[in-house]
Amino acid sequence: VQIEESGGGPVQAGGSLKLSCVVSGYMFNYCKMGWYHQAPGKERELVSTISHDGTTTYIDSVKGRFSVFQGDAKNTWFLQMNNLKSEDTGLYYCAPISGTCGGYYYASPVDFDTWGQGTQVTVSS
């Protein structure tokens, strides 16, 4: 599967960005997607997930500020980021967590290894 993230850019602290994720392919069945954040010099971290039924999860540091949702197209997801902080700076990636996403089945996140380029978010204070 191929994934393309977009929507990042420079923003001042307190500002907002809306990231987009497009997944290639047409078959999506019980597909659960995740958004990851990789801060400079740090490991990639899962910050939010969205299940096929719309159930969402967030890590504590982004709760109340980030919102993940699926677009009208089955292969598109978004991450709305509000009240951005300097610690939100970094690359953002989306990736399958589980289920059939873009025609490929993923039992767990470790089954996915074709990461996109990510989209860079730079928050200045």
Side-chain angles (χ1 to χ4, degrees):
V1 69
Q2 292 184 321
I3 295 180
E4 183 172 350
E5 302 94 346
S6 63
V11 63
Q12 289 192 327
S16 298
L17 284 173
K18 181 181 178 181
L19 307 185
S20 300
C21 168
V22 179
V23 178
S24 66
Y26 298 96
M27 185 177 293
F28 294 85
N29 192 26
Y30 292 93
C31 178
K32 181 177 183 178
M33 293 292 293
W35 279 96
Y36 293 78
H37 171 225
Q38 186 168 22
K42 295 191 176 180
E43 295 289 317
R44 195 155 36 206
E45 176 186 34
L46 180 64
V47 297
S48 179
T49 67
I50 179 167
S51 298
H52 69 282
D53 62 357
T55 301
T56 57
T57 67
Y58 304 92
I59 59 172
D60 287 345
S61 61
V62 307
K63 278 182 183 176
R65 300 189 299 120
F66 290 10
S67 177
V68 59
F69 56 98
Q70 189 171 14
D72 291 338
K74 276 190 174 182
N75 67 334
T76 304
W77 285 264
F78 300 95
L79 185 67
Q80 177 67 45
M81 310 165 70
N82 298 326
N83 190 21
L84 283 159
K85 303 178 180 181
S86 57
E87 52 263 43
D88 296 323
T89 292
L91 278 164
Y92 284 79
Y93 303 87
C94 66
I97 299 294
S98 62
T100 298
C101 305
Y104 292 84
Y105 176 73
Y106 301 92
S108 73
V110 298
D111 290 340
F112 175 74
D113 62 2
T114 54
W115 295 89
Q117 296 294 310
T119 185
Q120 176 70 38
V121 172
T122 304
V123 185
S124 59
S125 55

